[in-house]
């Protein structure tokens, strides 16, 4: 069966510090991968998506970047966090002919 | 105008009640439609897809009206466990075959004993 993992589950970071969030998918090959952010009390915003290794599309200009070093690994990064980067970060995947399934998410608080 | 609009609620209903959520979307070329459920501090989970002919899954019925760009979700005989935020979701295809989901902000439902 297919599963999706994210870590860490929660993170508290000071402003200006770097960030690295990881997402891995099991049980499927060549998935499309997505990073979303959900700010408190707001809807999900698509940040990045990837259709293959090394292929990243950015949806909104921001302080974050994404990378896909392996087929089933998706990483969200920042060199210097801002207060506005706080939120609930969700990774999602689709295989062929499927809708999106989400990982458990990472709660990031930037202080 | 938001791409996907929902009444944020909250909807507070007694157990056993019937409750309906509505959603409108702006992109007439949108291809697929879904309702997701999100429990507090958890990830969204697919509740059901929405088809033009309407579809039912137990106590849940979803309807799509493409002409009006309107989606609905009906929950009958509400249970305490139905308490959650319900997200209206519209899907479009992006470049490179990536499926892009656009989420509404969600409608909060609380079922009261």
């Amino acid at each position: 069966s297919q599963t999706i993992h994210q870590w860490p589950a929660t993170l508290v970071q000071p402003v200006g510090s770097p960030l690295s969030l990881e997402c891995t998918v099991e049980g499927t090959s060549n998935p499309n991968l997505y990073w979303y952010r959900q700010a408190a009390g707001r809807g999900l915003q698509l940040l990045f998506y990837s259709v293959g290794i090394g292929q990243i599309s950015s949806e909104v200009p921001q302080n974050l970047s994404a990378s896909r070093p392996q087929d089933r690994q998706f990483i969200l990064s920042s060199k210097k966090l801002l207060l506005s980067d706080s939120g609930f970060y969700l990774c999602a995947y689709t295989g062929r002919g499927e809708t999106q399934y989400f990982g458990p998410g990472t709660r990031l608080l930037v202080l | 105008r938001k791409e996907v609009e929902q009444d944020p609620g909250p909807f507070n209903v007694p157990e056993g009640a019937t409750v309906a959520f509505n959603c409108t979307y702006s992109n007439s070329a949108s291809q697929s439609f879904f309702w997701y459920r999100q429990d507090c501090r958890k990830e969204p989970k697919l509740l059901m897809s929405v088809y033009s002919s309407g579809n039912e899954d137990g106590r849940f019925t979803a309807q799509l009206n493409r002409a009006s760009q309107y989606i609905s979700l009906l929950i009958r005989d509400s249970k305490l466990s139905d308490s959650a935020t319900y997200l209206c979701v519209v899907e479009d295809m992006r470049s490179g075959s990536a499926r892009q989901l656009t989420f509404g902000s969600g409608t909060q439902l609380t079922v009261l004993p």
Side-chain angles (χ1 to χ4, degrees):
Chain A
S1 64
Q2 299 163 359
T3 56
I4 178 169
H5 304 279
Q6 285 186 247
W7 63 91
T10 58
L11 193 57
V12 180
Q13 291 285 99
V15 169
S17 64
L19 173 74
S20 181
L21 303 181
E22 190 162 343
C23 170
T24 58
V25 181
E26 295 177 359
T28 185
S29 60
N30 196 30
N32 291 339
L33 297 171
Y34 306 81
W35 277 112
Y36 291 86
R37 176 172 59 207
Q38 186 175 36
R42 301 183 66 178
L44 276 76
Q45 180 186 36
L46 179 63
L47 302 175
F48 301 95
Y49 67 91
S50 172
V51 299
I53 296 173
Q55 301 179 61
I56 308 295
S57 297
S58 175
E59 286 296 300
V60 294
Q62 60 199 298
N63 183 43
L64 302 168
S65 62
S67 62
R68 186 169 177 176
Q70 301 180 43
D71 180 45
R72 289 172 284 180
Q73 184 184 30
F74 205 22
I75 297 172
L76 185 70
S77 304
S78 173
K79 293 182 179 178
K80 287 186 177 182
L81 284 169
L82 306 172
L83 288 173
S84 57
D85 291 327
S86 294
F88 188 33
Y89 288 83
L90 290 154
C91 181
Y93 76 94
T94 56
R96 290 180 181 273
E98 300 174 8
T99 192
Q100 289 186 21
Y101 296 93
F102 288 85
T106 295
R107 291 204 177 272
L108 172 65
L109 178 60
V110 182
L111 300 175
Chain B
R1 181 185 175 188
K2 290 182 182 178
E3 293 185 58
V4 180
E5 292 206 56
Q6 294 181 249
D7 180 346
F11 284 62
N12 298 317
V13 303
E15 270 188 290
T18 296
V19 61
F21 303 140
N22 303 319
C23 169
T24 58
Y25 61 95
S26 61
N27 183 2
S28 60
S30 295
Q31 300 178 343
S32 302
F33 309 89
F34 309 91
W35 284 101
Y36 275 70
R37 169 192 169 130
Q38 186 173 23
D39 292 294
C40 186
R41 302 181 68 81
K42 297 288 188 180
E43 74 274 22
K45 293 185 178 179
L46 178 65
L47 178 65
M48 60 195 304
S49 301
V50 188
Y51 305 114
S52 296
S53 55
N55 50 300
E56 187 173 310
D57 182 2
R59 298 181 292 108
F60 298 83
T61 301
Q63 296 272 354
L64 166 65
N65 184 321
R66 283 188 183 270
S68 302
Q69 295 177 207
Y70 171 91
I71 306 162
S72 66
L73 177 68
L74 183 76
I75 304 176
R76 293 182 299 278
D77 188 22
S78 300
K79 311 293 185 190
L80 295 176
S81 57
D82 293 335
S83 298
T85 297
Y86 290 83
L87 304 172
C88 177
V89 184
V90 173
E91 182 179 73
D92 304 294
M93 293 302 292
R94 302 286 293 207
S95 61
S97 78
R99 299 169 183 261
Q100 179 181 348
L101 297 185
T102 302
F103 287 78
S105 297
T107 299
Q108 185 181 341
L109 171 66
T110 301
V111 180
L112 304 169

